[in-house]
Amino acid sequence: MSKAPEHLIALAGNPNCGKTTLFNAMTGARQHVGNYPGITVEKKEGICHANGSLVRLVDLPGTYSLTAYSMEEIVARDFLVQDRPRAVINIVDASNLERNLYLTIQLMELGIPVLVALNMIDMAASRGMEINSGELSRRLRVPVIPTVARTGNGKDELLGAAVDLAEENPAWEPLHISYGPDIDPALDRMEREIVAAKFLTGFIPARWTALKYLELDEEVIKKGRGIDPRLSAKLEETGEQVSQHLQKTLDSYPEAIIADHRYGFIAALLKEGVVKQSQKADRLFFSDQLDRVLTNRFLGPVIMMLILYGVYQFTFTYSKIPVGWMEAGFAALGNLADSALPEGPLKSLVVSGIINGVGGVLGFVPLIVFMFLAIAFLEDTGYLARVAYMLDRVFRTFGLHGSSVMAYIISGGIAGGCAVPGVLATRTLRSPRERLATLLTAPFMNCGAKLPVFAMLIAAFFAAKEPQVMFLLTILSWTAALLIAKLIRSTILRGPSTPFLLELPPYRLPTFKGLLIHTWERTWQYIRKAGTVILAISILFWALMSFPGLPEIEKRIYDQERSSIMAEAPEQIRKDLVEGKAPAGGAGKEFEAYRVRLQEVDFEEAQAALRNSIAGRIGTALTSVTKLTGFDWRTNVALLSGFAAKEIIISTMGTAYSLGRSKRGEDIPLGERLARDPGWNPLKAFSLIVFIMLYAPCIATISCIIRESGAWKWGVFSLVFNTAVAFIVSALVYRGGIWLGLG
Ligand code: GDP
Ligand code: MG
C-alpha cells in the first residue's frame, strides 16, 4: 500500500478574519495545540484529507503584517521561511479587503505560493458589497476562493485548490513592487549586493532582505550581523542614507513610505470592477457619525472615562458572585481536607499549601472571564481602537502606547482591579517594547488585594481623611507607573515608539459566540498555568512559613500551659473542651472563658512558630535594612507572605501580632490593635502603604509576566526592581517624615 502524499500548508490572516473558524471547519477534532519552541505563542496544528492527499494544516498567529513589531509577526514569518510550507492559505476579510490585502501583498513579496480565501462574503454582501473574485484572482495572479467559514461554504474548494497548488509545488516567486524614486535605486543596489554575497538567499528572497534592512527590522539585522557583519554594516549604512534623505525631502521614514506604496498598490488592484458597492456603505457613514461624538476632543474623553468605568464595574461587580462561589467551593474543600486528614504536616500542606494556593489562583478565573469578555467586546466593536487613538499622545510621552491604558485600568487604575488580567490585557499591544514596559508597570496600580490592607491602615491612622488618602494613593500609583515606564523606556527598553498605524476600523456588533470563544481561549491559557508554576510556589511559601517549626522544648511549654488550664477547669467543661462543643445554658460563659484562654496559648504558639520559621528568620534578619522604612520583623514577614498574594498580608500580620480574640471572645480588629501600639504611627503606616503599593507583584502576576514576556528574566526583574523602587520611596517617605518631625 502506498502512503498518501503529505503536504504542509499554513493558514495566515489578520486577527478576526475567521482563521480559527475556518481551521476548525477544515480539521474538525483532528487538531492539537502546542507552543512554538521557546516562546509563548500558541501553535495549532490539524490534519485533513483532500484529493487523496493528507494535509497538515498549521494555524499561524493572526497578524496584520510581516514586520517584526510583534512576537506573532516574527513567529509567522519564521515559520514560513524555515518550515517552508508548500502553500499558504491567506484568509482575508472580504468586508475589509483593503486592510487585509496588506498582509497578502507581503506574503507575495516573500514569494511563497499563496492562495486567498475570500472569507466573510456573506458579511460583505450584507453591507452591499459585491466582490468579483475572478477579477481579483486575475489581478493578483493567485487563486481566490470565496468562503463563509461560519457555515463551511467553500472550504472544500479551498482545500482542493490548496492541495493542487501544493502538488504543483511552484518555486518561490517574489512579487516586485515599486517603492518610488527615493527607495527603488537603493533597494536594487542592496539586492545585487545580497545576491552576490549569497546572503541568506537560500531562505529569503534578496529583495525581501533588502526591504527589511530599510524597514530597520531588528530580527533580520541581528541575524545578518551574525552571518556577514561586513555586508550587514554596508546594508545598514545604505538604509541610514535612505532614511536621512527621506527625512530631509519628505519628512518621513522608509517604513512609512514603504507602507504607503503597498497601500497604493492595493488601491490600484481594487480599482474598478473588483468591488461593487450597491448602497454607498451605510455602515461607514454611521461609523463616521459615531466617531464625531465618540472621538470628539471634549466629549470623547468624558465618554471614554464613563465606558472604561463601566468595564471596570462590569468586571469587578458582576464577577463577585462567581468569585464568591469559587471561594466557597475551595473553603468547603479545605474544610473537607481539614476533617478528613490527620493532624500534622501533611494536612497543613494540603490545606494551607495546595488548596489555598491553587484556590487563590483559580479564584481569579471568574474575574478573568469577565474582564476578557469586556475587552473582547470593546475590541470587536472597534471601540478599543478609539480609546488607544485618543490616549496615544499622552502615553507616547511616557514611551507607552494608547492601548496601554486598558492594562492599567484593569490592573486597578481606578482602584480595585487585578494585575493578572491587566498583564494579559497587554496582548492588544503590538510593539514588544511598549508591551513589556506596560506589563512591567501595570502592577503598580492599586489592585483589589491591596485595597483591604490599605483600608485597614487608613481606617486606623487616617480615619478622618479616608477618601482623600485613597484618591492620593490612586494619583501616586499612576504617577509611579508612568514615570517608571518612562525610565524603563529610556534605559533598558530604549527604542522608538511604534507608529500608530491602525486605522480606525468601522464599528460593528460582535457575535455572542465569537466573544465566548475568544474569552474561553484566553481563560484556558491562564487555568493551565495554575496547575504548575503557581502550585509549586504556593508550596514553597507554605514551607517557608511552616518550617522548621518550634523546637520540642518550646512546644512542650505551650502544651504544659494548655494542660494546666485544662486541669483548672471543672470536670464537665474539660470534657466539653476536649470534644470541642459548647454546652448549653449557664455553663456556656465559663466554658467560653476557658476556650479563649486555650486559644490565646495557641495564638502565642503560632506567633512563636512563625518567628522561628524560615520566613520569620528572614523577616527578623531584614530588620537591619527595614529600619530605614520603619518596618519591624512582623511587618517584614507579612510583606514576604504578601508576595504569595497581597491579601494574605492582613492574616499574616494578625498571626504575627498574636491576636485573634479578646477575653470576651470578640474579634479585635488588627487596625485598632496597631493604632494603639506605641511602635506604630501614621508615618509608619503611610510608609507601609507606599511600600505595598509599589513592591514586587504577587506570584500569580509574576508568572503571568514571565509567560507573557516569554522570559524568566522579566519576572525576576519585576520582583527585584519593584521591590527596590518600593524600598527607596518608602525610605524617603519615612526618613523624610521623621526629618520633618512627623514621626
Ligand atoms: P480569528 O481571529 O481569525 O481566528 O477569527 P475567528 O475565527 O475567531 O472569527 C472571528 C469572528 O468572525 C467570529 O465571531 C466568527 O464567528 C466570525 N466569522 C468567521 N467567519 C465568518 C464568515 O465567513 N461570515 C461571518 N458572517 N462571520 C464569520
Ligand atoms: Mg483565532
Side-chain angles (χ1 to χ4, degrees), residues 251-271:
D251 193 22
S252 188
Y253 291 89
E255 277 167 281
I257 301 286
I258 289 170
D260 279 353
H261 279 85
R262 284 188 185 135
Y263 276 117
F265 185 82
I266 294 168
L269 267 176
L270 294 181
K271 234 184 183 146

Side-chain angles (χ1 to χ4, degrees), residues 417-481:
C418 175
V420 168
V423 165
L424 299 182
T426 60
R427 289 182 182 178
T428 48
L429 288 159
R430 288 177 64 219
S431 146
R433 285 199 204 91
E434 284 158 5
R435 180 163 177 226
L436 253 179
T438 308
L439 66 81
L440 288 174
T441 49
F444 289 125
M445 298 290 137
N446 295 322
C447 71
K450 295 179 194 171
L451 285 187
V453 191
F454 292 171
M456 184 271 289
L457 289 168
I458 293 174
F461 294 98
F462 310 96
K465 300 197 188 69
E466 271 175 339
Q468 289 92 326
V469 175
M470 213 42 240
F471 184 70
L472 176 70
L473 294 184
T474 305
I475 301 283
L476 271 179
S477 63
W478 277 85
T479 313

Side-chain angles (χ1 to χ4, degrees), residues 273-293:
V274 173
V275 183
K276 241 202 303 200
Q277 189 89 50
S278 53
Q279 333 134 12
K280 172 62 191 159
D282 276 355
R283 224 173 37 88
L284 285 182
F285 176 73
F286 172 71
S287 274
D288 283 347
Q289 293 297 326
L290 210 53
D291 267 339
R292 281 202 172 172
V293 181

Side-chain angles (χ1 to χ4, degrees), residues 135-158:
E135 183 59 31
L136 183 61
S137 169
R138 261 187 300 283
R139 294 190 189 181
L140 277 173
R141 286 191 224 138
V142 302
V144 176
I145 291 105
T147 59
V148 181
R150 216 189 246 181
T151 60
N153 259 0
K155 73 166 195 271
D156 294 331
E157 293 89 317
L158 180 65

Side-chain angles (χ1 to χ4, degrees), residues 173-184:
E173 207 179 303
L175 169 73
H176 200 300
I177 294 182
S178 162
Y179 288 104
D182 291 306
I183 289 187
D184 275 346

Side-chain angles (χ1 to χ4, degrees), residues 14-21 119-120 122 148-150 511 514 518:
N14 290 7
N16 270 324
C17 65
K19 213 156 46 61
T20 302
T21 313
N119 195 33
M120 303 210 191
D122 55 332
V148 181
R150 216 189 246 181
T511 68
H518 279 141

